Amino acid sequence: MGRPTIDEQALVELLFERKEEGFRQLMRFYKDELVNFAYRFVGSYDDAVDVAQETFIRVYRFIETFQRGARLRTWLYAIARNVALSMLDERKRHGTLPMVEKDDEGEEHEREVPDLTYVPDRAVDSTIIAQRIQEALMKLPAVFREAVILRDIEGLTYEEIAEVCNVELGTVKSRINRGRTMLQELLRDLYEELYGSKQQ
Amino acid sequence: MMHETNENHESRLTELLQSLPRVNAPDGFEQVTQLRVLLDQLPRAQAPESFEDDVLARLRDDERSQKRLRLRRLPRSVRWLAAGVGAAIVGGVAYYLATRTGSPTSTIPAVTTPPPAEVKIPLDSGAEERLAPPQRVPATPQRPPKAIEQPSTAPGKRITPGAPDQED
């Protein structure tokens, strides 16, 4: 992709000086990436835009807490993830009761009751295939969903994902593997239609 | 000689490398690859046009409300002090304005009444009687109204409320 490069150090300096130009530059560079991540994670375009806006507002407020030398991109993703998780929690409080379950490795996470009324945003996901993949993503528990999105859609490295989610590298790998397996299961019918063979 | 040694080395290296255990693709490799291809082909959501301006507007709103919040969080004593100082300033200004508009009475021309004229009364005899003009008497302070005498409650005098006064 022909994405322009950015001088992160210079940008960080501008942000520390609270220069509006620096802030605008940061938004110009990362807004689409964050909106896309948030959309795939929370499932609604309007909420995704809200998450991304809130992320930048927090950057502006808490820029002093950013450690020079750290990766700005992972910091942004970590904030966006926290904001998105808060939004999902808020939704849950108004919706279903959380059920905690343990996975094979003894890790506890909330079993999310899939929202049967969920409809992907058709302005973003205009094809049936995209809509079905987004529906399947929304059925994954958040910890697996975020891992798969960050790795396979946003292209972050395992180390970066570990930093964003504040977990060990091993946990990231296992979450990605489990997330992919669950997603394959959910997309079994689509696989058959697209590739014509039964998946294992 | 040298050439032979090199060849020997190369063949040993190849043997060694070939002896390394083979690593195969994990189970489900193709499916995972297909899945990743699908995820990679998903359309990208983009931020709306007004995104940056909206964020900056929200930031400004936030700052304004934070200022208001900070004011509300001031200790009660400080708020009372500020209110007192404000009231004193307003009172001072009001007093100053009142004294400035009330004092220059001297600038208003004094109303002078002409001295009373001599009154002449023609008499039948043709003469005139001259009356001296009435003397101006300085206004005497009005006496306070006479205290109403309370009916005596001396023994022997009977008072019946509502009954006309009885003359002794």
Side-chain angles (χ1 to χ4, degrees), chain A residues 103-115:
Chain A
D103 63 18
D104 304 339
E105 286 152 19
E107 193 186 348
E108 273 193 358
H109 57 84
E110 277 183 13
R111 185 199 184 97
E112 286 167 22
V113 180
D115 180 4

Side-chain angles (χ1 to χ4, degrees), chain A residues 79-94:
Chain A
I79 297 172
R81 172 187 175 263
N82 287 340
V83 175
L85 282 174
S86 307
M87 186 176 275
L88 292 174
D89 278 350
E90 192 68 26
R91 270 194 213 162
K92 237 180 276 168
R93 241 174 274 149
H94 297 294

Side-chain angles (χ1 to χ4, degrees), chain B residues 31-53:
Chain B
Q31 289 89 334
V32 173
T33 309
Q34 285 167 350
L35 175 74
R36 292 187 65 178
V37 168
L38 280 177
L39 290 173
D40 194 49
Q41 283 173 350
L42 276 175
R44 309 266 317 167
Q46 291 194 326
E49 290 280 310
S50 60
F51 185 88
E52 289 152 56
D53 294 329

Side-chain angles (χ1 to χ4, degrees), chain A residues 34-35 37-39 41-42 45-57 79-85 87, chain B residues 51 58:
Chain A
L34 288 184
V35 167
F37 162 68
Y39 171 68
F41 193 42
V42 299
Y45 179 73
D46 291 338
D47 287 347
V49 172
D50 209 34
V51 166
Q53 286 184 347
E54 184 62 29
T55 302
F56 288 114
I57 288 170
I79 297 172
R81 172 187 175 263
N82 287 340
V83 175
L85 282 174
M87 186 176 275
Chain B
F51 185 88
R58 273 179 69 173

Side-chain angles (χ1 to χ4, degrees), chain A residues 23-24 28 31-32 36 40 45 50 53-54 57 60-61 124-125 152-154 180 184 191 199, chain B residues 31-32 34-36 39 43-48 51-56 58-60 62-63:
Chain A
F23 200 56
R24 278 189 183 272
R28 269 198 296 273
K31 63 180 179 181
D32 290 333
N36 190 62
R40 295 295 166 207
Y45 179 73
D50 209 34
Q53 286 184 347
E54 184 62 29
I57 288 170
Y60 186 81
R61 274 200 216 138
V124 180
D125 292 324
D152 293 338
I153 297 177
E154 298 306 329
R180 282 175 181 164
Q184 280 173 49
Y191 270 64
Q199 302 295 312
Chain B
Q31 289 89 334
V32 173
Q34 285 167 350
L35 175 74
R36 292 187 65 178
L39 290 173
R44 309 266 317 167
Q46 291 194 326
F51 185 88
E52 289 152 56
D53 294 329
D54 291 347
V55 172
L56 290 172
R58 273 179 69 173
L59 262 176
R60 283 183 201 119
D62 261 25
E63 276 178 5

Side-chain angles (χ1 to χ4, degrees), chain B residues 98-117:
Chain B
T99 49
R100 259 183 74 91
T101 51
S103 64
T105 44
S106 55
T107 56
I108 300 169
V111 179
T112 47
T113 44

